[in-house]
Amino acid sequence: MIAPLLAHIQKYTSLTLDEQTIIEQNVKCITLAKKDYLFSEGDLCNAQYFVMEGCLRMFFIKNSGVEQIVQFGIDNWWISDYTSLTLNTPSLFYLQAVQLCKIAVLKKDKQDELFLQIPKMEHYFRSIYQRAYAAAQTRQVYFSDLSGREKYEHFANSFPDFVQRIPQYMLASYLGLTPEFISKIRAKK
Amino acid sequence: MIAPLLAHIQKYTSLTLDEQTIIEQNVKCITLAKKDYLFSEGDLCNAQYFVMEGCLRMFFIKNSGVEQIVQFGIDNWWISDYTSLTLNTPSLFYLQAVQLCKIAVLKKDKQDELFLQIPKMEHYFRSIYQRAYAAAQTRQVYFSDLSGREKYEHFANSFPDFVQRIPQYMLASYLGLTPEFISKIRAKK
């Protein structure tokens, strides 16, 4: 059931069969229909989500009422509201399925259990968070210093398959552009 | 020499005297004068920096030539360009002392050495990166949805001492405001 997750962990550390079984016992697999929510603003987020298939989007609602997407979760990515998860504060975000999804759910208490039973899982998550934080730092440059066209092209070149999979208005929300602007760029190609 | 760092680690995990000695052997202490650089755009960043005293700023230079501060490093914070560090790519950033600083430097190869000798250091850095990533996620809400006044007030309320310590034009650069705007808000108080 969680073969994609076990394969992902094994890119960072080797796992015995016993360890794989322990991980399977601590992770729950769920299927989400399009538009299902994992959590909403005001909820306590108490789990992390590993996307095995499909696509999630994390967004917040601006004071103006407009949805602002801050992150997508695609195949082999972990996604969560780490402030709510770490500090037990109500989430500022919504996490929703963009399409049919298969998700591995790791609850906070189960993660603590894993760290006790398989200490090298600390290495795995240390590596994952280090990369996620690195991406967040670098995104600050791309998002504040590229033109609309450059932002679109940087994103499309970095994630060519992904750009085909999500609705244009969601990509626009993430990049801070209008759907019409993206249509124009695409039409010119 | 690195007492503040050892105290910080011991908030997350206990250390024996032997382990403290190993950490001391793998960390280098340096003093920076105001305006000294730890790395510049184009450099390979191969270390992480723990601020024991003083303040660092990380910034990039926009296409327009303007400096954009993305992060400050103050007492008990780790700071680095994690993309350059993780992927061995040239940095997009500059890391510079705002004032006289005492810094604990942990090079990448020394960090790997520490993980081998003291595996629970994985737990420490996993916790640190998780919190840093959490803060980066939440910052996206505050930076894209608050008015200039609200951004200043949120920051000043979160870090009251810090706001007194750094030049106004640097705080302005970080918050995306003009120094004049900050002067006006302060004058009204």
Side-chain angles (χ1 to χ4, degrees):
Chain A
M1 282 287 281
I2 60 162
L5 173 57
L6 294 174
H8 192 253
I9 296 171
Q10 290 191 94
K11 284 185 187 167
Y12 294 86
T13 189
S14 59
L15 293 172
T16 64
L17 286 178
D18 279 354
E19 288 167 344
Q20 294 181 34
T21 305
I22 295 172
I23 294 169
E24 274 171 359
Q25 287 164 347
N26 283 285
V27 167
K28 192 174 143 195
C29 288
I30 59 170
T31 300
L32 298 179
K34 186 176 172 177
K35 298 197 175 175
D36 279 355
Y37 285 90
L38 284 162
F39 57 78
S40 300
E41 185 182 350
D43 290 347
L44 272 186
C45 163
N46 67 353
Q48 293 168 81
Y49 305 95
F50 181 82
V51 182
M52 297 192 287
E53 204 182 302
C55 176
L56 300 172
R57 67 177 185 133
M58 196 159 97
F59 65 95
F60 67 95
I61 297 181
K62 292 179 130 178
N63 288 328
S64 60
V66 173
E67 291 178 2
Q68 172 69 52
I69 296 175
V70 292
Q71 206 175 338
F72 292 103
I74 54 174
D75 318 33
N76 292 326
W77 285 35
W78 284 98
I79 189 166
S80 185
D81 173 352
Y82 286 97
T83 297
S84 179
L85 186 77
T86 309
L87 305 178
N88 293 315
T89 50
S91 183
L92 303 173
F93 299 103
Y94 298 78
L95 186 58
Q96 188 190 33
V98 172
Q99 51 196 211
L100 182 78
C101 289
K102 289 189 182 163
I103 306 289
V105 181
L106 177 60
K107 288 210 169 183
K108 194 175 177 172
D109 56 342
K110 299 289 184 182
Q111 188 188 32
D112 291 339
E113 187 61 34
L114 277 187
F115 290 147
L116 284 177
Q117 292 198 53
I118 314 173
K120 62 188 162 186
M121 290 298 286
E122 294 271 15
H123 169 76
Y124 171 67
F125 279 104
R126 193 266 299 163
S127 305
I128 295 297
Y129 298 155
Q130 182 172 336
R131 282 165 186 261
Y133 182 50
Q137 281 185 318
T138 297
R139 200 158 45 220
Q140 290 183 80
V141 179
Y142 290 120
F143 271 59
S144 73
D145 203 31
L146 295 184
S147 70
R149 168 180 298 278
E150 287 167 336
K151 272 198 285 191
Y152 175 79
E153 286 174 351
H154 175 74
F155 191 83
N157 290 334
S158 303
F159 308 101
D161 299 336
F162 180 59
V163 166
Q164 304 306 319
R165 272 170 51 188
I166 52 164
Q168 195 154 302
Y169 79 93
M170 285 192 190
L171 185 58
S173 163
Y174 177 66
L175 295 174
L177 307 173
T178 63
E180 295 72 25
F181 185 81
I182 291 184
S183 291
K184 272 189 204 163
I185 297 175
R186 286 183 170 173
K188 281 188 188 161
K189 294 216 160 186
Chain B
M1 282 286 280
I2 59 163
L5 173 56
L6 294 174
H8 193 251
I9 296 171
Q10 291 190 96
K11 284 185 190 169
Y12 294 86
T13 190
S14 58
L15 293 172
T16 65
L17 286 178
D18 280 352
E19 288 167 342
Q20 294 182 32
T21 305
I22 295 172
I23 294 169
E24 272 170 1
Q25 287 164 345
N26 283 286
V27 167
K28 194 175 143 194
C29 287
I30 59 172
T31 300
L32 299 179
K34 186 176 171 177
K35 297 199 177 175
D36 279 356
Y37 285 90
L38 284 163
F39 58 78
S40 299
E41 185 183 348
D43 290 348
L44 273 186
C45 163
N46 66 354
Q48 292 167 82
Y49 305 96
F50 181 83
V51 182
M52 296 191 288
E53 201 181 304
C55 175
L56 300 172
R57 67 177 184 130
M58 195 159 99
F59 65 96
F60 68 96
I61 298 181
K62 292 179 132 178
N63 288 328
S64 61
V66 173
E67 292 178 1
Q68 171 68 52
I69 296 175
V70 293
Q71 207 175 337
F72 291 104
I74 53 175
D75 317 33
N76 291 326
W77 286 35
W78 284 98
I79 188 166
S80 185
D81 173 353
Y82 285 97
T83 297
S84 179
L85 186 78
T86 309
L87 304 178
N88 293 312
T89 51
S91 183
L92 303 173
F93 299 102
Y94 298 78
L95 186 59
Q96 189 188 32
V98 173
Q99 51 195 211
L100 183 77
C101 290
K102 289 188 182 164
I103 305 289
V105 181
L106 177 59
K107 288 210 169 183
K108 195 175 175 171
D109 56 340
K110 299 289 187 185
Q111 187 187 32
D112 291 338
E113 186 63 35
L114 277 187
F115 289 146
L116 284 177
Q117 292 197 55
I118 314 173
K120 64 188 161 185
M121 289 299 284
E122 294 271 15
H123 169 76
Y124 171 67
F125 279 104
R126 193 266 300 165
S127 306
I128 295 299
Y129 298 155
Q130 181 172 336
R131 282 165 186 263
Y133 182 49
Q137 281 186 319
T138 297
R139 198 157 50 219
Q140 288 184 80
V141 178
Y142 291 121
F143 271 58
S144 72
D145 203 32
L146 296 185
S147 70
R149 167 180 297 277
E150 286 168 336
K151 272 199 286 192
Y152 174 80
E153 286 174 352
H154 174 74
F155 191 83
N157 290 334
S158 303
F159 308 103
D161 299 337
F162 181 60
V163 166
Q164 304 304 321
R165 273 169 52 187
I166 52 163
Q168 195 153 303
Y169 78 93
M170 285 192 191
L171 185 58
S173 163
Y174 177 67
L175 295 175
L177 307 173
T178 63
E180 294 73 24
F181 185 82
I182 292 184
S183 291
K184 271 189 206 163
I185 297 174
R186 286 183 170 174
K188 281 188 189 161
K189 295 211 159 189

PDB file of all heavy atoms in Angstrom, chain A residues 166-181:
ATOM      1  N   ILE A 166      -2.513  20.760 -13.603  1.00  0.00           N
ATOM      2  CA  ILE A 166      -3.390  21.558 -12.723  1.00  0.00           C
ATOM      3  C   ILE A 166      -4.112  22.646 -13.513  1.00  0.00           C
ATOM      4  O   ILE A 166      -3.612  23.136 -14.518  1.00  0.00           O
ATOM      5  CB  ILE A 166      -2.615  22.215 -11.560  1.00  0.00           C
ATOM      6  CG1 ILE A 166      -1.404  22.996 -12.080  1.00  0.00           C
ATOM      7  CG2 ILE A 166      -2.238  21.222 -10.500  1.00  0.00           C
ATOM      8  CD1 ILE A 166      -0.862  23.938 -11.058  1.00  0.00           C
ATOM      9  N   PRO A 167      -5.317  22.983 -13.048  1.00  0.00           N
ATOM     10  CA  PRO A 167      -6.077  24.033 -13.737  1.00  0.00           C
ATOM     11  C   PRO A 167      -5.281  25.339 -13.784  1.00  0.00           C
ATOM     12  O   PRO A 167      -4.565  25.682 -12.832  1.00  0.00           O
ATOM     13  CB  PRO A 167      -7.325  24.204 -12.860  1.00  0.00           C
ATOM     14  CG  PRO A 167      -7.424  22.956 -12.045  1.00  0.00           C
ATOM     15  CD  PRO A 167      -6.031  22.466 -11.865  1.00  0.00           C
ATOM     16  N   GLN A 168      -5.466  26.046 -14.877  1.00  0.00           N
ATOM     17  CA  GLN A 168      -4.702  27.272 -15.112  1.00  0.00           C
ATOM     18  C   GLN A 168      -4.931  28.324 -14.006  1.00  0.00           C
ATOM     19  O   GLN A 168      -4.008  29.014 -13.604  1.00  0.00           O
ATOM     20  CB  GLN A 168      -5.138  27.829 -16.467  1.00  0.00           C
ATOM     21  CG  GLN A 168      -4.225  28.870 -17.022  1.00  0.00           C
ATOM     22  CD  GLN A 168      -4.324  28.889 -18.550  1.00  0.00           C
ATOM     23  OE1 GLN A 168      -4.083  27.880 -19.207  1.00  0.00           O
ATOM     24  NE2 GLN A 168      -4.682  30.025 -19.093  1.00  0.00           N
ATOM     25  N   TYR A 169      -6.162  28.376 -13.491  1.00  0.00           N
ATOM     26  CA  TYR A 169      -6.440  29.417 -12.477  1.00  0.00           C
ATOM     27  C   TYR A 169      -5.703  29.130 -11.171  1.00  0.00           C
ATOM     28  O   TYR A 169      -5.363  30.034 -10.424  1.00  0.00           O
ATOM     29  CB  TYR A 169      -7.958  29.585 -12.253  1.00  0.00           C
ATOM     30  CG  TYR A 169      -8.593  28.537 -11.380  1.00  0.00           C
ATOM     31  CD1 TYR A 169      -8.733  28.721 -10.003  1.00  0.00           C
ATOM     32  CD2 TYR A 169      -9.060  27.331 -11.922  1.00  0.00           C
ATOM     33  CE1 TYR A 169      -9.313  27.757  -9.206  1.00  0.00           C
ATOM     34  CE2 TYR A 169      -9.632  26.369 -11.123  1.00  0.00           C
ATOM     35  CZ  TYR A 169      -9.762  26.591  -9.769  1.00  0.00           C
ATOM     36  OH  TYR A 169     -10.332  25.636  -8.967  1.00  0.00           O
ATOM     37  N   MET A 170      -5.412  27.828 -10.906  1.00  0.00           N
ATOM     38  CA  MET A 170      -4.670  27.506  -9.682  1.00  0.00           C
ATOM     39  C   MET A 170      -3.194  27.874  -9.832  1.00  0.00           C
ATOM     40  O   MET A 170      -2.579  28.379  -8.894  1.00  0.00           O
ATOM     41  CB  MET A 170      -4.766  26.005  -9.387  1.00  0.00           C
ATOM     42  CG  MET A 170      -6.101  25.620  -8.836  1.00  0.00           C
ATOM     43  SD  MET A 170      -6.023  23.932  -8.205  1.00  0.00           S
ATOM     44  CE  MET A 170      -7.773  23.669  -7.934  1.00  0.00           C
ATOM     45  N   LEU A 171      -2.668  27.606 -11.010  1.00  0.00           N
ATOM     46  CA  LEU A 171      -1.278  27.987 -11.255  1.00  0.00           C
ATOM     47  C   LEU A 171      -1.150  29.517 -11.156  1.00  0.00           C
ATOM     48  O   LEU A 171      -0.196  30.041 -10.575  1.00  0.00           O
ATOM     49  CB  LEU A 171      -0.849  27.489 -12.643  1.00  0.00           C
ATOM     50  CG  LEU A 171       0.609  27.715 -12.995  1.00  0.00           C
ATOM     51  CD1 LEU A 171       1.535  27.055 -11.969  1.00  0.00           C
ATOM     52  CD2 LEU A 171       0.904  27.158 -14.391  1.00  0.00           C
ATOM     53  N   ALA A 172      -2.157  30.207 -11.699  1.00  0.00           N
ATOM     54  CA  ALA A 172      -2.161  31.677 -11.642  1.00  0.00           C
ATOM     55  C   ALA A 172      -2.159  32.148 -10.184  1.00  0.00           C
ATOM     56  O   ALA A 172      -1.394  33.049  -9.811  1.00  0.00           O
ATOM     57  CB  ALA A 172      -3.376  32.220 -12.392  1.00  0.00           C
ATOM     58  N   SER A 173      -2.992  31.508  -9.357  1.00  0.00           N
ATOM     59  CA  SER A 173      -3.071  31.911  -7.943  1.00  0.00           C
ATOM     60  C   SER A 173      -1.726  31.714  -7.256  1.00  0.00           C
ATOM     61  O   SER A 173      -1.272  32.561  -6.480  1.00  0.00           O
ATOM     62  CB  SER A 173      -4.154  31.102  -7.228  1.00  0.00           C
ATOM     63  OG  SER A 173      -3.995  31.181  -5.820  1.00  0.00           O
ATOM     64  N   TYR A 174      -1.065  30.595  -7.567  1.00  0.00           N
ATOM     65  CA  TYR A 174       0.229  30.305  -6.935  1.00  0.00           C
ATOM     66  C   TYR A 174       1.282  31.328  -7.349  1.00  0.00           C
ATOM     67  O   TYR A 174       2.056  31.815  -6.519  1.00  0.00           O
ATOM     68  CB  TYR A 174       0.663  28.896  -7.327  1.00  0.00           C
ATOM     69  CG  TYR A 174       2.022  28.488  -6.799  1.00  0.00           C
ATOM     70  CD1 TYR A 174       2.233  28.336  -5.434  1.00  0.00           C
ATOM     71  CD2 TYR A 174       3.081  28.258  -7.662  1.00  0.00           C
ATOM     72  CE1 TYR A 174       3.477  27.956  -4.951  1.00  0.00           C
ATOM     73  CE2 TYR A 174       4.328  27.875  -7.185  1.00  0.00           C
ATOM     74  CZ  TYR A 174       4.514  27.734  -5.824  1.00  0.00           C
ATOM     75  OH  TYR A 174       5.747  27.367  -5.343  1.00  0.00           O
ATOM     76  N   LEU A 175       1.292  31.668  -8.643  1.00  0.00           N
ATOM     77  CA  LEU A 175       2.345  32.552  -9.155  1.00  0.00           C
ATOM     78  C   LEU A 175       2.010  34.036  -8.973  1.00  0.00           C
ATOM     79  O   LEU A 175       2.837  34.896  -9.276  1.00  0.00           O
ATOM     80  CB  LEU A 175       2.600  32.259 -10.642  1.00  0.00           C
ATOM     81  CG  LEU A 175       3.177  30.869 -10.968  1.00  0.00           C
ATOM     82  CD1 LEU A 175       3.238  30.654 -12.478  1.00  0.00           C
ATOM     83  CD2 LEU A 175       4.565  30.694 -10.354  1.00  0.00           C
ATOM     84  N   GLY A 176       0.796  34.323  -8.500  1.00  0.00           N
ATOM     85  CA  GLY A 176       0.406  35.730  -8.331  1.00  0.00           C
ATOM     86  C   GLY A 176       0.132  36.422  -9.660  1.00  0.00           C
ATOM     87  O   GLY A 176       0.366  37.616  -9.809  1.00  0.00           O
ATOM     88  N   LEU A 177      -0.348  35.632 -10.632  1.00  0.00           N
ATOM     89  CA  LEU A 177      -0.664  36.183 -11.963  1.00  0.00           C
ATOM     90  C   LEU A 177      -2.164  36.008 -12.223  1.00  0.00           C
ATOM     91  O   LEU A 177      -2.849  35.338 -11.453  1.00  0.00           O
ATOM     92  CB  LEU A 177       0.131  35.426 -13.032  1.00  0.00           C
ATOM     93  CG  LEU A 177       1.650  35.342 -12.820  1.00  0.00           C
ATOM     94  CD1 LEU A 177       2.275  34.427 -13.859  1.00  0.00           C
ATOM     95  CD2 LEU A 177       2.268  36.736 -12.892  1.00  0.00           C
ATOM     96  N   THR A 178      -2.658  36.578 -13.317  1.00  0.00           N
ATOM     97  CA  THR A 178      -4.046  36.307 -13.689  1.00  0.00           C
ATOM     98  C   THR A 178      -4.066  35.136 -14.675  1.00  0.00           C
ATOM     99  O   THR A 178      -3.100  34.937 -15.429  1.00  0.00           O
ATOM    100  CB  THR A 178      -4.711  37.526 -14.361  1.00  0.00           C
ATOM    101  OG1 THR A 178      -4.019  37.803 -15.594  1.00  0.00           O
ATOM    102  CG2 THR A 178      -4.664  38.748 -13.459  1.00  0.00           C
ATOM    103  N   PRO A 179      -5.163  34.365 -14.691  1.00  0.00           N
ATOM    104  CA  PRO A 179      -5.279  33.266 -15.671  1.00  0.00           C
ATOM    105  C   PRO A 179      -5.143  33.796 -17.106  1.00  0.00           C
ATOM    106  O   PRO A 179      -4.565  33.130 -17.971  1.00  0.00           O
ATOM    107  CB  PRO A 179      -6.685  32.715 -15.422  1.00  0.00           C
ATOM    108  CG  PRO A 179      -7.010  33.103 -14.019  1.00  0.00           C
ATOM    109  CD  PRO A 179      -6.325  34.413 -13.773  1.00  0.00           C
ATOM    110  N   GLU A 180      -5.650  35.008 -17.357  1.00  0.00           N
ATOM    111  CA  GLU A 180      -5.585  35.579 -18.702  1.00  0.00           C
ATOM    112  C   GLU A 180      -4.130  35.791 -19.122  1.00  0.00           C
ATOM    113  O   GLU A 180      -3.756  35.566 -20.278  1.00  0.00           O
ATOM    114  CB  GLU A 180      -6.324  36.932 -18.759  1.00  0.00           C
ATOM    115  CG  GLU A 180      -7.834  36.843 -18.522  1.00  0.00           C
ATOM    116  CD  GLU A 180      -8.217  36.547 -17.078  1.00  0.00           C
ATOM    117  OE1 GLU A 180      -7.434  36.853 -16.157  1.00  0.00           O
ATOM    118  OE2 GLU A 180      -9.316  35.973 -16.860  1.00  0.00           O
ATOM    119  N   PHE A 181      -3.315  36.222 -18.178  1.00  0.00           N
ATOM    120  CA  PHE A 181      -1.899  36.471 -18.486  1.00  0.00           C
ATOM    121  C   PHE A 181      -1.207  35.159 -18.881  1.00  0.00           C
ATOM    122  O   PHE A 181      -0.453  35.100 -19.845  1.00  0.00           O
ATOM    123  CB  PHE A 181      -1.221  37.098 -17.251  1.00  0.00           C
ATOM    124  CG  PHE A 181       0.209  37.502 -17.488  1.00  0.00           C
ATOM    125  CD1 PHE A 181       0.504  38.700 -18.125  1.00  0.00           C
ATOM    126  CD2 PHE A 181       1.256  36.687 -17.091  1.00  0.00           C
ATOM    127  CE1 PHE A 181       1.824  39.086 -18.354  1.00  0.00           C
ATOM    128  CE2 PHE A 181       2.585  37.057 -17.318  1.00  0.00           C
ATOM    129  CZ  PHE A 181       2.863  38.257 -17.951  1.00  0.00           C
TER     130      PHE A 181
END
